[in-house]
Every structure is written in structure tokens, then in C-alpha cells.
């Protein structure tokens, strides 16, 4: 059977062979469950190498949970989370944040998936000016951004710091949904610390799944004092893995010798290549800056159905025929050229 | 390094080699995420072979989630779940059922982990006799039992059917926490169907993790009409695995050629062997019927700390020095004899 | 002490004397609590006179609860409620809908507090086109509008019917927050039925408090089959009044001889008078159609603080100096002329 | 029509005339809603006279809400509340505590409605001995007792202090459900302070409704630092009364010149009278100490239906024919003698 790869999602790719090898290498024998094993400690130490000694790190099965548990740990039910309208927590988590925390999400319109201080000020002019009347209103507690964003753009350290400073000045916390934090760091040519610890991020949902890991996400509290109750919320949130050693060993592998960067840089490079080749086709428009591993391109409406049959992908905006094309750690140059050739052929045939 | 195995928990064992092989065999290439892959359909077909064509099956990361999502799908927040006081949902899920469903758990005392109709009638004499005053009271909707139980006993088909008939006569549903359902079926020498579909069980939490799988649990709705909204609750419950193919292929492997029975029968046999050898020691008492893969034995208090250092296990009841000794798919006869020898030696030394 | 009345809120007025008289007239002796008294049945019969025989009616302490319990009764936690961004449920209930139901509110921008089918279609183009991918998305179940709106405008029967037809065509329900439903009906010169039962509304939060009653709100299910579990949700929602007779007798009084209309028409008339007199002042602009009991007027910024000291009211939009002036059942023509005179005087002095 | 009073419930009585008078006296004119009125401050000052200057006081519509909001303010969702199995929060609030807080209730069996330190130690031997494994377990945070209890008994100051000391030694809080706190204080011949502030109670649900008030309950934080977020939880809990002045003026009246004691002492005296007269009937057994306003008496099963028709009351335990007879502020000596005569007559006829 011919091996198929598509541009549908970086969730559609498999697990990197290095992860299988790592997991199997520690498979024999019994170890304590729920994180009391030797591997979890080693993985956490690796996180501290990258983020700083003072961080607190917890593993979860999935990324939605990493986000929701981040909020649960630092909010009361009357709080609110400010986020871009395109945020995964708002669009694609089926109301998990609301159900599990009780909090309202307050959304800000954005074209490129990013928000800034001016946008927050414009939409929430009274932030921080609470008085007694406000018992009627939800109380913002967290600003949540996604880096890299859902539309393939990346926040710079300066942009993040501005948001963090604003948040802290208003007694808010800054959370980063880092399902693709590796792609962001690789894109910027920096380490994780420069876009989290060093610029004031309080909590990071650290993604592994979209970059080659199996069921491995983490919550990194850059400010460990916030994490006091996390372990209880994780268990109550049904996210305490019994055989945690297999998540831990993946993260240890991932964070050793910057293996994460190798994988993410490759995915990013494939996205740039794809964008470059698509941009040469007159009928195609690249709509968003290609800063991570996603390309958002408007294709001729007429070719989309047949192109999807050959190489499945998702239409991001059906009214404009904007398509989302995601590259993965295992995307090849040949995958790109085959896809671009198909686009050209279908346009020619149409 | 010497490979260590203990009797602490069937969660402490690793993943069966057949699972690694199965997962790696389907690793190459991209497939749709979230269950829209070819393997998930095949795994579901396997479940239907075992449970009947009409069932609905959904996979989750963990067992707590399988239980909680089972309840969430069939309850309103004013409902209640009746269960033994020893139930995992009551003792060991950190309030996840209450938080996620809003329901109260109504508990029944039990010595052997099992409940029966008489016990339910005794504790809830008004069940089904609801009138308008009852708006003050939670409304029972589910009876939840665990099979095999948390203390190593097993419900027979007849016992389950009596509970199911009683439940249905009172417009309740019968849920089975089957974290060790394989051990129960193996113990009884029957298939899954005889202790679920055929005796009126409505919903089953089907465990894989405790019998050699990696992050693989399932909810089986024997009555598929109950499952209508499960997929939304699963996502909102943060339990929708993106790379679901790896759960699916494990279940397919597990359910083929009764591989599940091979693993569970072995664990059960090791428990019987352990109980048999321990029973010969005058200072040791076996407290519960050894019907699955757990042995509950009272050991001399004085030897417990040193024995735990050599072979870690948990004390189940500190007031009586009753210890829980769990066998796993990978427990060996040598593990048993080494442990029993240590017990004897420590008693002799004490 | 001089009796003071302001234009701050129709919640700031007291209780109509007829209500005190009605409550005291039935005060002697014991009656069953929680609605099993003779007065509650009579009040419900009155509601049926107005809304139709088939409705189901339940009383609550407050209006936020009437809204939230309406949603709780007809939603699952993965559902969503579509509403205008100005809706009380979104702006002024401190996240009660999210906490109690788990549902997300999906908001639509609006200038006059009203939404229509085109606006809904524009913001939710995929409504009703659900497929399997949608497990990631909250599932809209309710459209909620407010009548009269938070900014003093009124939906006509035709407008409501269009929304109800659209809702039903998409398997949604139409809820009306009727905290000021009496003002809406009085404004239109119709009965309650013409803007609820007859035009397809499914659930109505029926307000009493803002029109002279004491702690008396109701949920009216125009479709009684939706109400099956309401009583349990009400108790669990901490809204089951023990001494319900005092709410019931108020509603009976309110709904007899169209007493509600007398009160609401007067408040509406005072708002029109106020708007008329303010409109004659060149420095004042009336911003919203004055269709109920509220006037939204931009006053000179410089006079607002001193005017508030004399006659307290709330600034609705601080960036534009738009002020909210609410009339009540007890507002007098003299109150209006005194206020307008103060505006003129302060403008002259400034 | 003859005025009827029964022994069914102290919720079945009406509102004391003094309350109507007080509410109407402040009815004219507008005041700020939601507690920003002059009367609420005065009522709070009255509470401080009784409980101490340092307390924080908030009003709610109902008693279930006072309990639930007490817990919500001081718990995380993974916490638990320890209470007697007969507690109103467990038996009669339809799961409101679980839904609104996420917490589990941990119940202790009791015959007389009271619990003590030994009982808590027996059921929760590990209280306060938390280690890392405990992420699986709910974490107790509150001990909740009811005073006077649901079965008419009263905790003494010494008993309460022992529970408070135990709670604080284990980093728990002591909550008192004081729906009948006035009956308890009157029974003991002490003020409120002696059974709350002075003996270490942390939070009190202070009841008004069962002693002649209309929709008036309060939460009194004896430790005001616990109350920081109460106002938000109250609004989100749908319990913020808009026309709060009418609750406040009732409490001011109630707490002036020990009016509360006059009412409660009378109800208690009527219960003692009833018990005394019933005890003289050989076929009747008084089962519980009559320390407040309730009498729990076993009546001959055969007379109960006819007696209920004449004088409605509730059977507390159908298996033993134990009946609950509640006295109220308006119960008369004639009510008692008429009832006792009916018991005697029906026994004679049977």
C-alpha cells in the first residue's frame, strides 16, 4: 500500500519513530503509576532546562485538557478568559472551558489570529476598574493567546511581553496555547524560554501531539506558585494518565538535543516551500503570513472538490474558498511538489 | 538493570509487546484524526463481534473518563448514581463524577465490593415511588457496579441480570465499570456478552489499560440509543483522542483471537497461585474470595514495611493490616514464589 | 422625608401597593409550601388565560434565574445559546448561564438591541448543517432575544415570528427574556399571547419585578412538553420558593383586569414624555427609538456628574456620553419635568 | 373561612405582621437596587451587633442558596463537605451543592441529627494526612452541621467548639446550617454569638424564613476574610435580590429588641407543650429530645391517614411510623390541644 500523507492536519500524521523506540526501551517491568515513576522526574528536569528551574510541569493526555486545566487552576467560576475569536478554546473545544470552569470566554475579532494591547483596550475599556457594581459582570482573569496561532502566524517575544506586561498591570495572567509552540520557537529561531519565561508568560499549554508525539501534552506553570492545586484538578478533570512513564519518556526524548526543533523546523520549512510554490500560480493567493507550519491560501473554488479527493485538506472559509494546508514533521518535498502539480493540473483542466 | 515487577497495581505493569507491534505497523502516513480513520471502524466491528451488532462504541484515554462520560450521557444534573461505597467512582476519581455531571453518588455499604437488589431496596425503599414532593430530592437514574470489583470479586451473570431487571423495573439504567471486565469474564469462563448484553447491562466502561494496553479505554453502549450525544460530551469532556488510530488498533488486536482472555486468565491464575501459597502461611489470612486478579490478605503488621521495600504493594485497610496484592498480565510464577518466600522469611525473622 | 424617584432603573422603584394588599390578604394560617397551596394554582390559571391552556408555568425568585433555568431545562452542556451582544444574559448575569448550564453564549453585534434572521445567518452560516466533524463545536440549541430590549426597543409580532420560524426550521428553540414583556405588549397595544404563543415563542422569562412586584418572576413554557424536568432544575438551581403563595398572589393580581398593562403603559408613557421633552433641548440627542420605558439620550458630558447628583442615573456608554433613563410604574409627570428642567438649568450654567 | 394551622412545617406558616409593616413603611420612592440602599447597611449593622464587628453578611432569597453559596465561596471543586447523613444539604437540596460547587458530600450516620469529633475521626481516619497519592481523593474542606438539627435537637456551645477546634486543627472550616439558628439560641437561652462567633464557627447560613420572614436568608461569615468573592458567586448563583431593601428591613426588624427570640421561644415552647401532652398518651412515643421547635413522635400507624386529613403533617420514617410535628411562631396552645385531642379520639376510635 502506498503511504499517504496529506495537508489536512498536523494531527493526521503518525508518531515519530524515535518515540516508539523510546517508549519500548522502558517498557519492561513495573513502575509506579500516575507519575511516581523515575521517567517523569527526568522529563520534568528536561522541562526545567528549557524553561527555568522554578517552573512546575504536569502532563495530560490532550491539548484541550491542557488549556482547560490551565484555566481551571487559576480562575474562579465568575472569572472570564479574554481570547481572539479564532482561538481553539473558543472554536474547537465544544464548550469544554465553559463547562469545566464556569468561566465566560470574551472574544476579540482578529484577522491574523493575533491580538494586541490596543485591541484589548478597545474591547474592554474598563479592565481593572472594578467597583461594587461589577458583581453583575464576569471578572476577566486570564488573557489567552495561541502561539503559533491557528492561522499560522507567530507572536514575537516583544509582542508577547507587551501582552504580559498589560496583563500583569491589570492583575490578569497571560496563558499561551502552545499546541504549536515548537513551530513558533523554530520560526523565530529562539528557544522556548525566550517566548515564555523571559517575556512574562504565566502558563503554557505545551503541545507534543502535533509535532510527532503520542497523546503527550503538558501544562507548564512558569510561575509555579499558581500550580498548587493542579494535580487535583487534573484528576478531577479525568486527565491523570496511569501509565505516565510513556508520556514522560517521549517528552524527555523530545526535549533532548533540541529534537523538537528538528521536527518543527522541518514542518515550517515545508510550509514555506509550499507557499512559495503556490504563490507562483496566478490563480492562487496566499492570505496569511506563513510563519509556522500552516499555509492559508485561496484556491479556485472549482478545483477544490477534486483536489480534496486527491489530497485531503480542509476549507477554512467557505465564503472565500480560503483553504488551510498544514505541514507536519513528516511532510516531504515530494509531497509538496505533488500537491502543487495537482493544483496546476486541475486549474489547467478547469 | 534487573527488571522489577511488584504486586502494587495492574496499572504498574507496562504495555504488552503485541500492542507496540500493532501500533507501529500502522504508523506510516497520514490518516484522518479523531476516529475518522480506517482502524477505528475495524476496532468497532470487533466490539460488535463480542457484544452484538447493535452496540455503540467510543474510545477514551482513561477509565475515570469512561465512567464519568457514561453517566453524563444518560443523566440530568438532578439525577443520582447508586453504587457500592467501595466503587472507584466514589473513592478514587477525586469528585470527577460530581463535577462533570452534577449528580450525587448514593452509596451502599458492602464487604465484598458487590451489591444486590436487597441491599438497594433496603437503602432506597422509595425507589420509583416519585411524587411531586420529590423535587427536593435527587432522582436516581443509574445503578453502577464494578466487575471484577475493586476487591477482586466477580459478579455472576445471574447476579447482574437481577440488578438489571430491578433497574429497568424502576426506570433506571445499569452501568458496569469494567476496568477489569476481562478478568471477570476470564474468571467466569464466559465471553463479554454473557455478562453484559445478555443480562441487561446498559452501559459498560470497557478497560484496556489494566490488561496491557496503552491509554485505551472504551464506553460500550449495549443500548445504542442511549449514545446519541456521547460524541459531544466526550469532546467537551476533553477525551477525544486526535490520533485515535493507536487506540483502535490496540483494541482490534486485543479483541482478536481472544487475546484479552489469554492476558486476563494469566493474571487471574497468578492471583490464585499467590492466594494458594499465602494461605499456607499460618500468620496470613485471605480475606476476600480470590475470583479475579487481586488478592486481599492480612499480613503480620510487623513485616509490612520491610516487605513493601522489597516488593511494593498497598495496604488496603491500615486498621486491619489488610493488603492488596494485584497480579498483572506479566506476573510470573517466579514473582509469586519470590514474594511468598519473602513473606515467610520476614515472618521468621520477626 | 421627601420621597425620591430617579430614572436610574425600574428596579429602583418599590412594590406597588396593590401587591402588599394582596399578599397580606392571604397571610393568615398555614398552607403547603413550595407551590402546593391554593394560590399557586389560581395564578397558573391566570397565566393560562393569557398564554393559552397548554402552557406550563413555574415561579422563581429572580429574573436571572428565570433565564438560566429556561436554558438549563432544554439544553445539554455542549449546546450554545445565540443572543445579541447586548443581552442581559451575556452582559449582566456574571456568567450564571455558563456555570449552571455549561453552554457557551454565541453573541451577535447589534445597535438597537434586536437581532433578525439575516444577522443570525450571517454570523452562523452553517447552522443546522451538522456533520460528524462538529463534535468539536458547540451545538446551538436556543436563540434568545429580549423584549422589550435592554435599550428600550420592542420586537413586533412579525419580527418574532420570523425568528421563531427560523429557529424551528433549524431545530432550535426561541426564548424571550421578558423582564419587560409587559412594556413590550403595552407598547404594541397587544396582549401577551400575540408576542409569544401566537408567534412561535417556546419559552418566556416573564418578569414581574421591574413592573411593581416583589421577588416575582416566572418561566412560561409555551410548549409545555419542554418543561418536564423544570421542577428539579429549579430546586437544584436554588430557586424553589418555600412560601410561594406570596409570589402566586402577586401574579394573580397582576394578571387580573390587565393590571399589568395599566402599570406598563404608564411607564411607557412617561418614557415617551421624557424623550419628547428632552428632544426639544438642542444639546440633547435621543439615540434609540423610544418604544418601551427607557430613553437613551446623549447629554452634554459636562453636566452629567452634577445631574447624577440631583437625579441619579447610569451612563450607558461612557465614550459617547449616552445615558440610560428608565421610567417606572410610579414615575410621575412631575418627575419628568423636574428632570428636564434640571438638564436645561445645568446646560445653561455650563 | 376558618384559619388553619398545621404541624406540617415551619415553612407553611405565613409572614409575621411586623414584617409587612416594616416593608411597607419603606416602600415609597426609589432606592438603589442590589443592596446599595440605606436599609441594607442598617441591617448589616444589626448583624454586627449580634455577631461581632468583624463579620461579613450577605442576603439571599433562600436557605438552600445560603448553604450552597457558603460552600462555593470557600471550596475548590475537588474539595468535599463532611456532614451528617440527615443534613438538609444532603437530603433535600436536589444535588444543588454538587452541581454548583462540584464537591462531594461525605456523610456520617447519626441518630439524633448531630455529629461529633469521634464520629468524624472514625469515618475519616486519614483526615489531614494528605500526601501525593491523594490526588485520587476528594479533599475535605468543610464540616457542616445543622443547628437546630433537622430532627429537633440542638448543639451546645461546647459541642460546637469541639467541632470547630477539630476542624481548624485539620485545616477545615466549620459551617452551620442555621435555618433554625434562632430556635437553637432560644432553646439554649443564649445569643447568636455564643453558638457561632465565640465557639469558632466560620460560616453561618442564617435563616429567617422558618421564623416568620419572607424570602430572607443570610450568609454570615464570622471570618470576614473568607467572604472576599461571595458577591460574585451570589450573582452567578442567581441569588442577588434587586429589591434588597425588603429583605434588609425585615432583618433589621427581626434583630431589634431580640424579636427573633420572641418568635423562636414561642415555637419552641409550643413544641415542648405538644411533646408533653403527646407523651401522656400510652400509644405514642417521643423519639428524639425535644430541644427546638420539632417533635418526632411515633404514632399508631392506623390513625395516621385520618389524622393527616384533619391536621396535615409528614411521616418522617414510614417503616417506624415516626412522624415529624413542627411548631411555628404562630402555633397556639389551642392548636396543640386540638391536635392532641384528635390523636386521642382517633386512637379511641381505632
Amino acid at each position: 500500500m502506498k503511504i499517504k500523507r496529506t495537508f489536512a492536519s498536523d494531527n493526521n500524521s503518525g508518531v515519530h519513530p524515535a518515540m516508539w523506540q523510546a517508549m519500548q526501551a522502558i517498557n519492561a517491568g513495573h513502575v509506579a503509576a500516575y507519575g511516581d515513576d523515575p521517567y517523569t522526574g527526568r522529563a520534568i528536569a528536561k522541562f526545567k532546562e528549557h524553561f527555568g528551574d522554578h517552573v512546575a510541569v504536569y502532563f495530560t493526555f490532550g491539548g484541550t485538557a491542557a488549556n482547560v486545566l490551565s484555566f481551571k487552576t487559576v480562575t474562579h467560576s465568575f472569572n472570564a478568559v479574554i481570547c481572539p475569536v479564532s482561538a481553539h478554546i473558543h472554536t474547537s473545544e465544544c464548550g469544554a472551558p465553559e463547562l469545566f470552569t464556569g468561566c465566560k470566554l470574551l472574544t476579540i475579532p482578529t484577522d491574523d489570529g493575533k491580538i494586541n494591547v490596543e485591541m484589548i483596550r478597545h474591547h474592554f475599556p474598563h479592565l481593572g476598574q472594578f467597583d461594587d457594581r461589577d458583581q453583575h459582570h464576569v471578572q476577566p482573569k486570564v488573557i489567552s493567546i495561541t502561539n503559533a496561532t491557528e492561522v499560522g502566524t507567530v507572536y514575537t517575544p516583544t509582542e508577547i511581553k507587551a501582552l504580559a506586561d498589560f496583563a500583569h498591570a491589570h492583575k490578569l495572567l497571560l496563558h499561551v496555547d502552545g499546541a504549536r509552540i515548537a513551530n513558533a520557537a523554530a520560526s523565530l529561531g529562539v528557544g522556548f524560554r525566550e517566548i515564555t519565561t523571559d517575556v512574562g508568560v504565566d502558563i503554557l499549554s505545551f503541545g507534543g501531539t502535533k509535532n510527532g508525539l503520542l497523546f503527550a501534552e503538558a501544562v507548564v506553570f512558569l510561575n509555579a506558585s499558581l500550580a498548587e492545586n493542579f494535580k487535583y484538578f487534573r484528576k478531577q478533570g479525568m486527565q491523570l494518565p496511569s501509565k505516565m512513564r510513556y508520556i514522560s519518556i517521549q517528552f524527555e526524548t523530545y526535549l533532548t538535543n533540541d529534537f523538537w526543533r528538528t521536527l518543527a523546523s522541518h514542518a515550517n520549512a515545508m510550509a514555506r516551500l509550499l507557499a512559495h510554490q503556490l504563490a507562483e500560480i496566478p490563480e492562487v493567493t496566499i492570505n496569511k503570513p506563513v510563519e509556522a507550519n500552516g499555509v492559508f491560501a485561496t484556491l479556485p473554488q472549482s478545483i477544490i472538490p477534486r483536489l480534496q479527493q486527491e489530497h485531503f485538506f480542509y476549507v477554512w472559509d467557505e465564503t472565500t474558498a480560503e483553504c488551510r494546508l498544514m505541514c507536519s514533521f513528516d511532510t516531504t518535498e515530494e509531497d509538496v511538489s505533488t500537491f502543487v502539480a495537482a493544483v496546476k493540473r486541475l486549474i489547467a483542466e478547469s
Side-chain angles (χ1 to χ4, degrees), chain A:
Chain A
M1 192 183 78
K2 193 178 173 320
I3 287 171
K4 266 205 96 135
R5 282 182 298 272
T6 73
F7 296 93
S9 171
D10 36 5
N11 265 337
N12 288 14
S13 51
V15 175
H16 193 280
M19 299 302 149
W20 296 119
Q21 193 178 337
M23 288 191 280
Q24 285 180 274
I26 62 154
N27 189 56
H30 290 203
V31 299
Y34 305 114
D36 292 330
D37 60 81
Y39 311 106
T40 300
R42 277 162 40 185
I44 290 173
K46 276 286 171 192
F47 271 94
K48 293 189 174 185
E49 282 180 25
H50 285 270
F51 288 96
D53 278 347
H54 58 294
V55 306
V57 184
Y58 299 89
F59 303 147
T60 66
F61 292 118
T64 290
N67 289 332
V68 171
L69 291 171
S70 294
F71 303 147
K72 180 72 172 175
T73 306
V74 298
T75 56
H76 294 291
S77 59
F78 58 78
N79 284 132
V81 175
I82 294 173
C83 65
V85 74
S86 54
H88 191 270
I89 56 171
H90 183 61
T91 66
S92 305
E93 300 188 353
C94 201
E98 286 88 348
L99 176 60
F100 198 65
T101 71
C103 294
K104 186 187 282 293
L105 303 192
L106 295 170
T107 60
I108 297 178
T110 167
D111 284 330
D112 65 356
K114 294 162 67 174
I115 56 174
N116 58 39
V117 169
E118 287 63 42
M119 295 159 80
I120 299 175
R121 277 217 182 93
H122 175 73
H123 281 82
F124 306 104
H126 296 290
L127 215 55
Q129 302 171 21
F130 302 141
D131 61 28
D132 261 22
R133 276 192 297 131
D134 277 308
Q135 60 189 316
H136 297 279
H137 304 160
V138 292
Q139 304 292 307
K141 181 69 185 289
V142 177
I143 297 171
S144 179
I145 62 173
T146 309
N147 200 21
T149 72
E150 290 80 1
V151 296
T153 53
V154 171
Y155 286 88
T156 66
T158 305
E159 290 170 334
I160 300 167
K161 185 168 191 310
L163 285 164
D165 289 348
F166 176 83
H168 301 155
H170 292 80
K171 299 193 179 168
L172 306 179
L173 300 170
L174 182 63
H175 167 263
V176 174
D177 178 349
R180 295 185 184 94
I181 192 72
N183 301 96
S187 171
L188 294 163
V190 300
F192 294 126
R193 187 192 292 257
E194 287 89 334
I195 51 176
T196 56
T197 319
D198 291 353
V199 288
V201 172
D202 296 290
I203 314 173
L204 169 69
S205 296
F206 182 92
T209 308
K210 290 182 196 296
N211 204 19
L213 277 62
L214 177 65
F215 306 148
E217 306 278 319
V219 178
V220 183
F221 289 90
L222 290 323
N223 177 349
S225 72
L226 299 171
E228 187 186 4
N229 294 311
F230 186 87
K231 68 180 179 182
Y232 301 113
F233 289 125
R234 177 172 61 177
K235 176 61 194 176
Q236 196 176 30
M238 309 180 289
Q239 286 287 326
L240 177 62
S242 57
K243 297 185 177 175
M244 203 186 285
R245 61 170 130 168
Y246 300 105
I247 294 179
S248 302
I249 199 70
Q250 288 185 76
F251 273 129
E252 187 185 7
T253 306
Y254 187 65
L255 292 174
T256 297
N257 295 331
D258 277 359
F259 187 46
W260 62 270
R261 190 189 295 278
T262 305
L263 301 178
S265 294
H266 176 78
N268 289 355
M270 291 301 102
R272 285 195 308 272
L273 181 68
L274 175 61
H276 182 74
Q277 294 190 8
L278 284 175
E280 292 175 347
I281 307 173
E283 292 86 352
V284 175
T285 314
I286 306 298
N287 298 305
K288 306 276 194 306
V290 179
E291 297 172 352
N293 63 321
V295 177
F296 288 73
T298 299
L299 304 179
Q301 179 73 64
S302 60
I303 73 160
I304 290 177
R306 283 171 59 202
L307 186 62
Q308 283 178 313
Q309 282 188 331
E310 296 183 22
H311 305 268
F312 188 68
F313 58 88
Y314 292 103
V315 177
W316 186 253
D317 183 338
E318 295 187 9
T319 62
T320 62
E322 183 180 29
C323 299
R324 184 185 84 147
L325 304 168
M326 300 303 295
C327 295
S328 186
F329 73 89
D330 64 350
T331 302
T332 65
E333 293 191 21
E334 190 191 347
D335 294 337
V336 171
S337 56
T338 307
F339 180 82
V340 173
V343 173
K344 289 179 178 166
R345 173 170 44 80
L346 289 169
I347 290 176
E349 290 172 12
S350 71

